[in-house]
Amino acid sequence: MTVAELDTAQKPNVIAGLHDAFEAHKKAFARDPYPSYEARRANLQRLRRALLDRREEIVDAVVADYGSRSRHETTLAEILGVTQPIKYCLKNLRRWMRSDSRHTELHWLPGSSKVVPQPLGVVGIISPWNYPINLALVPAAFALAAGNRVMIKPSELTPHTSDLLFRLLGDVFPEDLISVHRGGIDVGIAFSTMPFDHLLYTGSTSVGKSIMRAAAENLTPVTLELGGKSPAIVHPDHNIKHAAERICAAKLFNAGQTCIAPDYVLVHEGKVDEFVSVFQHYAAKKYATMANNPDFTSVINARHKARLESYLSDASEKGAEVIDVNPAGESFDDAGNKLMPRLIKNVTDDMVIMQDEIFGPLLPIVAIKNLDEAIAYVNDHPRPLALYYFDFDANRQRLVTERTHAGGMAVNDCIWHYAQDDMPFGGIGPSGMGAYHGKEGFDTFSHHKSVFTQGRIAGTKLMSAPYGRFLERFMDAFLR
Ligand code: NAD
């Protein structure tokens, strides 16, 4: 059955099916609450093998959902972007699973203390459309590495990919280890009310609040991977060519539909025009044509395209200058949902484009007088998911790192901090809470249980009633 069919007659069954699936996962976890290193390793290897074996099928599904999406970008983000973190988990899993001995004070000896990482149980994952394989399967891989069972609710906006995920994971894993639950927002709402042992949600900040409210009813801990407006600051002395090339590449990757795409750029007021012409130059080098170029990706659907176009008309009406980025001077009339990239000058905070996350190939340029003004601007706005800073001066790099808040940061590049396997990935404030990737990914889906083991001869006996001189002397010694 496809997502389209699910969205009509079968909806009540799908929601009831969620409860059955949850119970099945829970029972299976109770039978095997601590999967061995070998079993976890085998699961990760099976997932990796499936992605490699069915690589073309996966890319076809994602491209079909977008209408037009770069096959290179799709392979990079959805295949390599998942197999690499899996390899990283395989490399580190044995070490992560070890218990951690902790210090025990002299007077508690011969007792000992340790922290034991333990699987949580059943983990729920709600994923969005913009990287529909990566954002479902990377969290799933970390949850499996930590020994959990997983239920996934993929996005209804990428039905081909969601159907493929359902088939692919069904072919490879027992359905009480990892299951996929397709459907629209109502299925998402029902999914978020399940008493998971952990719920990871990736999507918009507004829905993130609903997810947290629903999870609070069950005291289910959440990891929220949200969005926001990620700024790119170019230091006034920095080479504009260098910055514009990196910003252009990151902004046009997946047509700007990346949670960590540079949302807007802060450039010295005397260099705005140079930035515009260098950005145009690099856009033309990367995409000689756009409308029919399979490497330039479509906006996901007509609704999102209309949303982006409304930002442009609102900005124009309020006095912004909108500059086309159209290397071959093409018409986009017959280009489906592809949207011509634009640079936007003379922006002000009352424009919607400077308030909402853009999530498309539009780049506003904020003119600044100096670095302090750029830092003040960023700090005066909600804390973003990412911040980019272009400058080769190490002292100023440190200053910007220390004086601004963002989920993550890249210096002299954009977006690629996401691909550093050994670092956590997550937001701060309205851009999210918690993290996965890196060792932190394993920790997110584990309970770190403190275990104090008492020795055969225990001094604690002397600390219980009837109280006497021993305890008084002991306390005197430590209260000094
Ligand atoms: P979306 O519309 O596909 O929604 C995401 C998921 O939430 C879907 O599975 C959907 O069915 C479900 N959903 C929607 N409403 C729900 C509700 N009320 N209750 C429960 N589930 C519900 O995706 P989107 O929200 O448009 O995604 C884009 C946003 O995601 C952007 O803001 C982007 O920045 C953010 N994002 C963040 C990250 C990250 O890692 N931090 C990654 C990608 C995207």
Side-chain angles (χ1 to χ4, degrees):
M1 192 181 302
T2 64
V3 168
E5 287 158 350
L6 281 172
D7 255 358
T8 53
Q10 298 295 322
K11 218 175 281 173
N13 295 347
V14 173
I15 292 175
L18 281 177
H19 293 269
D20 295 343
F22 180 77
E23 285 307 316
H25 279 263
K26 218 170 103 175
K27 282 195 184 116
F29 181 76
R31 283 195 302 273
D32 183 15
Y34 193 87
S36 66
Y37 166 74
E38 287 73 21
R40 300 186 200 191
R41 213 184 142 75
N43 287 337
L44 291 171
Q45 276 169 332
R46 247 188 284 169
L47 183 57
R48 180 167 173 269
R49 195 67 265 153
L51 288 163
L52 296 176
D53 289 348
R54 293 169 78 166
R55 172 179 154 174
E56 290 307 317
E57 203 186 336
I58 293 169
V59 175
D60 288 345
V62 182
V63 171
D65 281 327
Y66 271 78
S68 175
R69 205 211 208 202
S70 158
R71 293 187 78 85
H72 287 86
E73 288 177 11
T74 305
T75 307
L76 188 62
E78 316 282 5
I79 307 290
L80 194 67
V82 186
T83 57
Q84 279 303 110
I86 293 177
K87 268 171 103 172
Y88 167 79
C89 286
L90 286 166
K91 201 167 141 204
N92 291 288
L93 184 57
R94 198 186 282 280
R95 188 167 53 84
W96 293 341
M97 285 178 69
R98 277 189 205 128
S99 59
D100 184 15
S101 287
R102 296 294 175 94
H103 176 71
T104 308
E105 283 287 354
L106 199 63
H107 51 276
W108 299 110
L109 296 178
S112 62
S113 308
K114 65 183 173 187
V115 177
V116 181
Q118 188 175 28
L120 294 170
V122 186
V123 167
I125 293 169
I126 304 180
S127 54
W129 52 266
N130 66 323
Y131 291 99
I133 294 286
N134 186 307
L135 298 171
L137 293 187
V138 176
F142 279 95
L144 289 174
N148 299 283
R149 304 211 162 226
V150 180
M151 291 172 65
I152 300 174
K153 155 69 182 82
S155 178
E156 65 281 10
L157 299 189
T158 45
H160 294 91
T161 312
S162 298
D163 289 342
L164 177 62
L165 264 179
F166 176 80
R167 290 197 308 274
L168 184 142
L169 294 177
D171 290 347
V172 175
F173 293 109
E175 60 184 9
D176 57 9
L177 176 63
I178 179 162
S179 58
V180 176
H181 303 271
R182 299 161 296 164
I185 291 173
D186 38 6
V187 173
I189 292 171
F191 192 90
S192 64
T193 63
M194 310 293 289
F196 291 113
D197 296 292
H198 193 97
L199 179 59
L200 182 142
Y201 167 77
T202 304
S204 63
T205 300
S206 57
V207 173
K209 292 179 189 172
S210 310
I211 300 284
M212 196 164 168
R213 267 194 296 272
E217 279 301 312
N218 302 309
L219 289 180
T220 291
V222 289
T223 300
L224 300 177
E225 297 283 342
L226 310 176
K229 293 182 80 62
S230 299
I233 303 174
V234 184
H235 187 273
D237 296 342
H238 192 73
N239 182 321
I240 286 286
K241 286 193 182 68
H242 173 262
E245 195 271 331
R246 303 290 157 100
I247 293 168
C248 175
K251 187 71 184 185
L252 299 187
F253 193 96
N254 206 30
Q257 299 164 106
T258 305
C259 54
I260 46 171
D263 187 279
Y264 63 97
V265 57
L266 299 115
V267 178
H268 186 265
E269 56 188 8
K271 292 189 169 179
V272 169
D273 290 332
E274 185 187 355
F275 182 88
V276 169
S277 67
V278 177
F279 189 101
Q280 297 269 21
H281 167 78
Y282 283 113
K285 276 189 94 169
K286 291 171 196 303
Y287 306 91
T289 63
M290 284 179 167
N292 294 313
N293 182 347
D295 280 347
F296 182 65
T297 294
S298 262
V299 170
I300 187 68
N301 59 27
R303 181 169 62 84
H304 276 284
K305 188 178 176 195
R307 174 183 62 82
L308 292 161
E309 286 170 340
S310 76
Y311 292 170
L312 291 174
S313 41
D314 174 78
S316 294
E317 278 163 25
K318 290 173 179 159
E321 183 184 342
V322 175
I323 301 157
D324 293 352
V325 179
N326 187 0
E330 294 164 282
S331 160
F332 280 65
D333 289 349
D334 297 323
N337 291 323
K338 281 195 182 178
L339 182 69
M340 184 202 300
R342 308 311 205 285
L343 296 167
I344 303 105
K345 285 193 339 185
N346 306 331
V347 287
T348 48
D349 269 12
D350 62 332
M351 296 172 184
V352 184
I353 203 165
M354 293 313 294
Q355 295 164 2
D356 288 0
E357 178 181 359
I358 296 172
F359 224 53
L362 314 176
L363 183 69
I365 305 168
V366 175
I368 45 142
K369 290 189 171 50
N370 51 48
L371 179 59
D372 285 345
E373 193 183 320
I375 292 175
Y377 185 92
V378 168
N379 288 343
D380 205 28
H381 289 79
R383 291 175 170 180
L385 184 57
L387 184 142
Y388 304 114
Y389 182 54
F390 286 86
D391 188 356
F392 293 122
D393 181 279
N395 286 330
R396 291 193 304 246
Q397 290 173 1
R398 200 187 60 242
L399 181 123
V400 174
T401 309
E402 289 171 357
R403 298 216 179 151
T404 59
H405 281 89
M409 186 171 169
V411 179
N412 294 324
D413 211 338
C414 293
I415 73 178
W416 295 117
H417 60 300
Y418 179 86
Q420 308 313 312
D421 289 327
D422 207 22
M423 299 209 294
F425 180 78
I428 176 171
S431 59
M433 65 174 66
Y436 68 118
H437 290 214
K439 160 101 167 54
E440 288 79 357
F442 178 87
D443 290 343
T444 287
F445 298 117
S446 300
H447 172 58
H448 293 271
K449 187 191 269 178
S450 307
V451 181
F452 173 67
T453 306
Q454 186 59 276
R456 275 178 195 273
I457 306 159
T460 42
K461 217 158 67 180
L462 300 167
M463 295 187 199
S464 59
Y467 300 110
R469 289 197 55 197
F470 174 82
L471 185 60
E472 283 158 17
R473 281 192 189 157
F474 174 84
M475 289 193 294
D476 282 349
F478 279 89
L479 288 171
R480 238 177 250 149

